[in-house]
Amino acid sequence: MDICKAIKDRRTLLGISQQDLSDFSGVGISTIKDLERGVGNPSLRTLIKILDVVGLEIILQIRKTV
């Protein structure tokens, strides 16, 4: 599942609007809308703010090489 769909699905499940997510995260409404449409390119910091509000997290791993 891509992150855009995960954020939108989680926001919908929680019953909060895009405007609420914007207000709670401190991220602009246009950024939220662009992200959910899959056309945004937010920074990692912005993503973390949004994910924190909806109760999701990003886990980074170092890829193992052969």
Side-chain angles (χ1 to χ4, degrees):
M1 174 182 285
D2 73 29
I3 196 158
C4 302
K5 182 167 175 21
I7 291 169
K8 184 175 183 177
D9 289 350
R10 182 68 175 179
R11 179 184 61 74
T12 302
L13 179 70
L14 294 172
I16 61 174
S17 68
Q18 289 178 330
Q19 185 63 56
D20 290 337
L21 181 54
S22 173
D23 293 342
F24 297 150
S25 66
V27 174
I29 186 69
S30 61
T31 301
I32 302 290
K33 289 180 178 185
D34 287 348
L35 178 62
E36 287 192 0
R37 285 194 324 254
V39 296
N41 188 19
S43 67
L44 183 56
R45 181 170 302 219
T46 298
L47 274 177
I48 290 170
K49 288 179 182 180
I50 294 167
L51 294 174
D52 187 47
V53 172
V54 296
L56 298 173
E57 66 182 1
I58 294 176
I59 299 173
L60 301 174
Q61 282 184 283
I62 297 173
R63 189 180 323 168
K64 295 179 182 176
T65 58
V66 178

